[in-house]
């Protein structure tokens, strides 16, 4: 296993451990839905840039910032149990 693969796997395990410690089984469906919806949102930003609806890097950065803020709020809401 290369050093990159080891670091990647260690990082992935750390993230999964943190998620498992925070997202309780009763919140797992909400977490999965939030992740799926966020992936769809991010793909939409990428598609918009690809097809010219978003025309410059500043617009892309702003859309990604909005995406990250929305995802953060979704996760915090899940963790807080709201």
């Amino acid at each position: 296993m290369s050093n990159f693969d080891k670091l990647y796997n260690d990082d992935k395990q750390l993230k999964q451990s943190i998620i498992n410690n925070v997202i309780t089984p009763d919140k797992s469906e909400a977490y999965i839905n939030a992740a799926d919806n966020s992936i769809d949102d991010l793909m939409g930003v990428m598609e918009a840039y690809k097809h010219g609806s978003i025309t410059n890097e500043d617009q892309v950065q702003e859309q990604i910032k909005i995406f990250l803020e929305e995802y953060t709020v979704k996760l915090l809401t899940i963790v807080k149990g709201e």
Side-chain angles (χ1 to χ4, degrees):
M1 179 182 299
S2 74
N3 190 43
F4 173 80
D5 289 339
K6 181 180 178 345
L7 291 173
Y8 174 81
N9 287 333
D10 290 349
D11 182 61
K12 188 174 181 178
Q13 287 177 351
L14 174 64
K15 289 183 228 173
Q16 193 61 51
S17 174
I18 292 169
I19 290 167
N20 290 341
N21 287 331
V22 174
I23 304 297
T24 56
D26 61 313
K27 297 176 184 171
S28 63
E29 185 176 347
Y31 170 74
I32 291 168
N33 289 338
D36 288 347
N37 291 339
S38 296
I39 291 168
D40 290 343
D41 290 347
L42 183 56
M43 293 299 293
V45 171
M46 293 170 34
E47 286 293 319
Y49 184 69
K50 179 180 173 182
H51 294 292
S53 299
I54 298 174
T55 58
N56 65 52
E57 229 176 88
D58 289 337
Q59 290 175 321
V60 171
Q61 288 176 1
E62 181 62 26
Q63 289 299 310
I64 291 174
K65 179 181 174 187
I66 292 168
F67 153 78
L68 290 172
E69 289 170 344
E70 289 176 358
Y71 185 58
T72 300
V73 169
K74 287 176 188 176
L75 290 179
L76 291 172
T77 301
I78 292 167
V79 170
K80 288 176 66 178
E82 295 177 2

